Amino acid sequence: MKVLVLSAGLVCVLLLVGCGEKVQAPDPVILPLFQNVTVHFTPDDSTKYDSPFASARDKGRVMATYREMEDGRGPERVLLRFVVRPIRKDIRNVVDRWDRAGWIRLVKPGTEPVEMVRFMTAYGGEIAHEVDVTHLAPLLEGYCEFEVFIDTWVSPAWKVDAELVFLPDAVGAVNPPTWALGALFPEGGLNAEKPSATATVVIPEGTRWVELAAITTGHCTDGRDADEFITKDNVLIVDGQEVFRWRPWRDDCGDFRAVNPYCAKWADGSWSSDYSRSGWCPGDVADPEFIDLSDWLTPGEHTVTWMVEDIRPKDPEDEDGHHGYWRVSASLAGWR
């Protein structure tokens, strides 16, 4: 008989053999990625908050590091744990009190960047999350670059800690994919002028099951209406054929008010953090949509297109050209 025991956030697996002998599974392996890293926007000196373990890109809004990962680790569950903390300005205020989009992504030669997690900072509050990234396990070998991004425009803005946790599988409960690859990560996202992105992917021979992990959130440049508070159809097309359509939406944002200390309370009694949004909530992660594409992505070469319909275009009467846009990314995983 096999028993899985979970205790204090760590996993301890015991194999109970017929005579009662207990064999403890290997301990989890924890690999730090970012430790107290400062994300900022400093155009005049983007290296101001660099360290021997993390360096700035995009004027400090991206901090990058790298790791040499062990090959052939075997079946295991992989978790990504991270904490995002606002930097205090004084006893009453933080430097960046707004909700900001962010991500941690993996960059490897030969594949599109892979978004491991997308998160939204809280309105000036600290967030801590743990996400399962086992579907990306085949990519976590050899040389790996990791980036953390927060869409901030102030400096210094946020502190970030992140680590990977590898949980060895001793009971056959984990079935990691045979291969994985980044499929789509259009820089700048999708908008009315560029409502779709297309990639060519090659599915290895012998693959029997293919799953696409899609992360999508709707936004607007002026914080009103579409595409943040009015969702739109997201459409997946494989080799010219529509295969999946959905409308991302979150109506549970009020559950996160406690981590949003600087959100506004309006005259009608509502709080800015509580409003339903197109696939995201301030202070939470945007979970991937896992889509089975096995019937369409058979071994060989294919094109995959992601399109968002009816994105709000730039307002011709607005000199700032406010508009809607979507942040999207997709990765593929396959099982032989």
Side-chain angles (χ1 to χ4, degrees), residues 112-178:
E112 284 291 300
V114 176
E115 190 171 26
M116 303 179 73
V117 65
R118 183 178 309 166
F119 59 88
M120 303 294 163
T121 70
Y123 283 93
E126 177 178 317
I127 61 172
H129 294 285
E130 177 182 280
V131 296
D132 193 318
V133 294
T134 306
H135 61 289
L136 302 176
L139 292 173
L140 298 173
E141 295 186 345
Y143 178 82
C144 295
E145 290 188 13
F146 298 92
E147 297 178 337
V148 57
F149 160 77
I150 298 177
D151 193 14
T152 186
W153 300 98
V154 299
S155 182
W158 303 86
K159 292 282 191 179
V160 179
D161 298 317
E163 63 185 17
L164 287 170
V165 182
F166 298 88
L167 302 172
D169 177 29
V171 297
V174 178
N175 182 28
T178 309

Side-chain angles (χ1 to χ4, degrees), residues 40 42-51 54-56 59-60 63:
H40 58 103
T42 315
D44 296 333
D45 185 10
S46 63
T47 64
K48 183 176 181 179
Y49 297 100
D50 282 11
S51 75
S55 57
K59 301 175 183 177
M63 297 298 289

